[in-house]
Amino acid sequence: WFECRHYRSVHHALIDDMSSSMSYQDAESGDGPAVSRLTALKQACSGYIGKRKSVFPLDFLSLITFNDKATVHFEGRYPHDQRGYMQRTIDNLECGGSSTFYYTAFKEASNVIRKMESERTKYGKSDCVIILFSDGADKAWRDYKKPGGALQELMDGRKSRGQTSIQLCAVQFGNPSRAERVFGAETMQKLVKSVKDFAPDDEFSKASSFTTTVGADELQHAFVQFAAEVKARDLIVSLRSQG
């Protein structure tokens, strides 16, 4: 027998708010004029993909956007040879719709994550990190059970399939003192806590976090930092020598 060391590929699911408020031109960008929140998000997503490619190019990414409905733009794409396609998709994103439903986003994400588990998982296990971005409060913020329930269903599904490790990095954009940001922050923090509580002994899940950003540069820095800090865990596989 001998041992072969592999590294688990990580599935990165970017879940981005595309409600109409993303068109607001209030994302300050260095010394230049403010850009739209959507433009700032596109730059941040591009930075995330580029950083992850340089850190661990065999990871794969999915992109889901949401407002009152959720849309899957790509799933299971590898940045080392499909970055051009991913970038064009990001460049073509458009915002619209008056609602922000986390529940819908997590339900769609659950379908994509389950599909990627069956298609891309090697050696029996996979890790998944979700980057959740929004510039406001979930439409159902008065009933946390809705977004929380969808995330719980996602985690329960992974557990039933033997895939327990999941990490949630929640990012809120905008002035945190405004009412909708306060309620949005409360929901995001509860979601992050639920992930940590679900697998309290798992270091990957314990790295889940929440952050608030107020400008384009700060948003991009947050995304790139998330990408740099996701750890690809090694996996030892024992193989029988044929000699």
Side-chain angles (χ1 to χ4, degrees), residues 80-120:
H80 71 281
D81 65 352
Q82 297 176 311
R83 186 178 178 184
Y85 170 82
M86 297 161 76
Q87 185 61 56
R88 289 191 297 273
T89 303
I90 291 170
D91 290 342
N92 290 329
L93 291 176
E94 296 181 352
C95 56
S98 58
S99 299
T100 304
F101 286 111
Y102 293 177
Y103 180 85
T104 303
F106 279 122
K107 290 291 286 185
E108 195 62 58
S110 182
N111 294 333
V112 172
I113 290 169
R114 183 174 64 251
K115 180 180 178 182
M116 290 300 100
E117 285 173 12
S118 62
E119 292 183 0
R120 302 292 172 84

Side-chain angles (χ1 to χ4, degrees), residues 43-65:
Q43 294 170 349
C45 289
S46 298
Y48 188 99
I49 294 170
K51 185 63 177 180
R52 201 60 199 167
K53 177 184 176 183
S54 68
V55 173
F56 198 73
L58 295 182
D59 284 0
F60 49 95
L61 295 93
S62 300
L63 175 63
I64 301 159
T65 62

Side-chain angles (χ1 to χ4, degrees), residues 65-79:
T65 62
F66 68 100
N67 37 46
D68 44 1
K69 63 180 181 179
T71 302
V72 178
H73 296 272
F74 57 75
E75 54 187 31
R77 295 282 179 166
Y78 291 98

